[in-house]
Amino acid sequence: MRAGCEKLDMLRVGEQVSPFQAESMSTEQSPQHVAPHHVAFFDTTLRDGEQSPGCSMTTQEKLTMAHALEDLGVDIIEAGFAMASEGDFAAISTITQAIRKPRIASLARAKQEDIEIAARAIQFAERPRIHVFLASSDLHLEYKLKISRQEALDRTGESVRLARSFVDDVEFSPEDATRSDRAFLVEMVRIAIEAGANTINMPDTVGYTTPEEYGQMFREVRERIPAVDEQGIILSSHCHDDLGLAVANSLAAIQAGARQVECTINGIGERAGNAALEEIAAALYVRGDYFGVTTSIKLDQLYPTSQVLGQLITFRPSPNKAIVGQNAFAHESGIHQHGMLANPLCYEIMTPTLVGVSKTHLVLGKHSGRAALRHRLEQLGFTLSRDELQHTYYRFVALADRKKNIYDQDLIGILPDPIRERRQEPVAELD
């Protein structure tokens, strides 16, 4: 794998070292300097997220998204997979020259040509990272790669050392970690660290694990490899949502000592998607008393960033999507609406403005009660007596049984003429 590396010295980024000097460099100094209770957000919307059907982006669209991610405060942007295509290479290179605050990473298989091309793609980055991955499960080794465990271990060390000859910041991922033999996984991680990896990501590649199992894997790796804590190696989670557990598993990893979390905006990604960045960030904030960690995420940019992505790809989040779905801060039930009008804390654990949503929406429908109807009519300038409200409410329920969406024009239409005539000014807040 070392053959021909010397001719790439002019492309090396970070500290200028030869491939042979890199082998002897101490891995005790992590270039990340992450505080013990700080969780770094590694956003892979532009790489793993873009791999899902309907999410492909042009170079300019990727750059637009990268700016939004920078404004959001993510710590690392995985800008793409340089070896995948000329377009991916160009997008990564463009992003490295425009985005300066987050680290910029390129994914690479544990192959010489992948790592060399990744190094070229990120050569202009302020803080470059090469993210190397190699399967660790017997299933992948036998059927996909057709190599032995020993060959996988040898390739791990060689590829990480090569990546370290280009950059100081190298992440290694044993693909399909959660379905790997634990002893073999630990040995692969140990070799990656000895070769110079600063970050070890242990992905739940196929969304197979549970929170308790995933957390235990992180605890066991820390216990069996003292160098993780002694050298400040960052452990990272990367979870897919095949069983709907991606966010829960990611939070379990954080509880077990992971200090980097890999995720995507709106949870886009392969198959059922990745862990949703906005859900993890909100959970760590709202339940800060429980998790006790800090992040650099600017929460009021979560919804705007979600909207940017929705404009770039072919679909938006499901309406009931947590944090950023259009119903996340909407209430139709009469009981809920009454509680919200009395005190929003009754049914909202965070304010909509916290995550960048303008306001709560009390949606009028057949489940709504008199309190919400009175509230909206008063916003429209109509004050009703108790009897007038009761009469209007009966007409409203009858309409709601026939019509899925009730608009302000509908509400005004069901008011008796005497009530409408009491308001001479034009209604300005019609939907």
Side-chain angles (χ1 to χ4, degrees):
M1 187 177 282
R2 296 267 178 202
C5 291
E6 289 79 5
K7 67 182 179 181
L8 293 173
D9 283 345
M10 67 182 68
L11 295 175
R12 301 191 191 288
V13 288
E15 185 178 354
Q16 301 298 309
V17 295
S18 72
F20 304 100
Q21 288 175 312
E23 292 184 18
S24 61
M25 288 176 61
S26 170
T27 59
E28 294 183 3
Q29 294 297 320
S30 168
Q32 300 170 91
H33 306 296
V34 176
H37 300 294
H38 184 82
V39 173
F41 273 70
F42 177 113
D43 183 274
T44 185
T45 301
L46 301 180
R47 200 278 300 170
D48 201 335
E50 196 209 16
Q51 291 176 189
S52 59
C55 296
S56 180
M57 289 175 260
T58 66
T59 295
Q60 185 55 50
E61 288 171 337
K62 278 195 167 188
L63 182 59
T64 298
M65 194 66 215
H67 278 296
L69 294 172
E70 183 176 38
D71 293 341
L72 178 61
V74 302
D75 302 274
I76 306 101
I77 296 175
E78 188 167 48
F81 185 0
M83 188 67 179
S85 69
E86 291 183 6
D88 248 28
F89 181 96
I92 297 168
S93 181
T94 299
I95 289 170
T96 62
Q97 297 174 67
I99 304 297
R100 313 311 291 174
K101 293 179 183 178
R103 298 178 184 277
I104 306 298
S106 174
L107 186 69
R109 293 170 297 183
K111 294 183 175 184
Q112 178 177 332
E113 57 269 31
D114 276 37
I115 295 168
E116 291 174 353
I117 288 178
R120 292 191 183 101
I122 60 173
Q123 62 180 305
F124 299 114
E126 186 80 18
R127 295 185 294 167
R129 173 181 292 188
I130 296 177
H131 179 192
V132 179
F133 75 97
L134 180 65
S136 57
S137 70
D138 290 330
L139 184 64
H140 281 234
L141 294 179
E142 179 179 356
Y143 291 98
K144 187 179 74 173
L145 300 179
K146 301 186 186 305
I147 61 175
S148 67
R149 285 186 175 186
Q150 188 57 52
E151 288 176 298
L153 295 178
D154 292 342
R155 192 178 294 183
T156 295
E158 292 170 0
S159 60
V160 171
R161 281 190 292 271
L162 178 58
R164 270 303 294 263
S165 73
F166 291 108
V167 295
D168 290 338
D169 188 358
V170 174
E171 176 174 337
F172 178 76
S173 292
E175 185 186 10
D176 204 20
T178 55
R179 295 193 297 174
S180 300
D181 175 79
R182 189 60 51 83
F184 179 69
L185 173 68
V186 168
E187 184 61 19
M188 181 176 274
V189 169
R190 190 193 316 277
I191 288 174
I193 292 173
E194 291 173 352
N198 319 101
T199 299
I200 298 294
N201 174 48
M202 295 187 289
D204 184 24
T205 305
V206 293
Y208 173 75
T209 196
T210 65
E212 184 176 356
E213 290 175 334
Y214 199 51
Q216 179 56 33
M217 183 176 71
F218 280 82
R219 285 187 288 271
E220 189 170 337
V221 167
R222 292 178 64 192
E223 291 168 1
R224 296 176 64 175
I225 309 178
V228 170
D229 291 332
E230 292 172 0
Q231 298 179 18
I233 303 299
I234 301 300
L235 295 185
S236 176
S237 74
H238 178 118
C239 297
H240 283 262
D241 207 33
D242 298 73
L243 294 177
L245 296 171
V247 170
N249 288 335
S250 300
L251 294 173
I254 291 170
Q255 287 180 288
R259 287 299 175 261
Q260 176 180 288
V261 60
E262 306 192 3
C263 41
T264 62
I265 300 300
N266 296 346
I268 66 170
E270 291 277 7
R271 303 179 312 281
N274 289 55
L277 183 150
E278 60 277 359
E279 295 179 24
I280 297 172
L284 294 178
Y285 177 83
V286 173
R287 294 309 313 273
D289 59 322
Y290 182 73
F291 291 104
V293 297
T294 62
T295 78
S296 299
I297 297 298
K298 299 172 184 175
L299 296 174
D300 63 356
Q301 291 301 305
L302 289 174
Y303 183 74
T305 306
S306 169
Q307 291 294 294
V308 170
L309 179 62
Q311 292 167 5
L312 296 177
I313 62 176
T314 60
F315 58 89
R316 295 177 183 270
S318 169
N320 66 328
K321 170 74 172 62
I323 314 302
V324 295
Q326 68 180 28
N327 290 346
F329 295 94
H331 307 264
E332 183 179 332
S333 164
I335 295 174
H336 285 226
Q337 290 174 337
H338 183 77
M340 284 294 300
L341 291 171
N343 186 335
L345 288 175
C346 287
Y347 288 104
E348 287 186 352
I349 60 173
M350 68 193 96
T351 63
T353 54
L354 175 72
V355 297
V357 177
S358 60
K359 62 181 179 179
T360 291
H361 295 281
L362 299 184
V363 180
L364 292 177
K366 67 178 184 179
H367 302 106
S368 301
R370 294 165 183 78
L373 178 61
R374 178 195 292 275
H375 177 74
R376 186 56 187 153
L377 287 172
E378 288 178 349
Q379 288 180 322
L380 293 173
F382 300 97
T383 301
L384 279 65
S385 67
R386 181 184 181 89
D387 289 341
E388 288 172 336
L389 177 63
Q390 184 70 15
H391 178 70
T392 302
Y393 178 70
Y394 288 144
R395 300 179 71 178
F396 163 74
V397 171
L399 176 64
D401 275 333
R402 304 191 308 270
K403 200 169 187 287
K404 289 184 180 294
N405 298 309
I406 305 296
Y407 301 101
D408 288 344
Q409 295 96 324
D410 298 317
L411 296 180
I412 295 172
I414 64 173
L415 290 174
D417 290 341
I419 297 177
R420 284 204 300 270
E421 291 170 359
R422 290 208 300 257
R423 191 183 193 285
Q424 300 298 325
E425 300 84 0
V427 176
E429 290 193 42
L430 293 180
D431 289 346

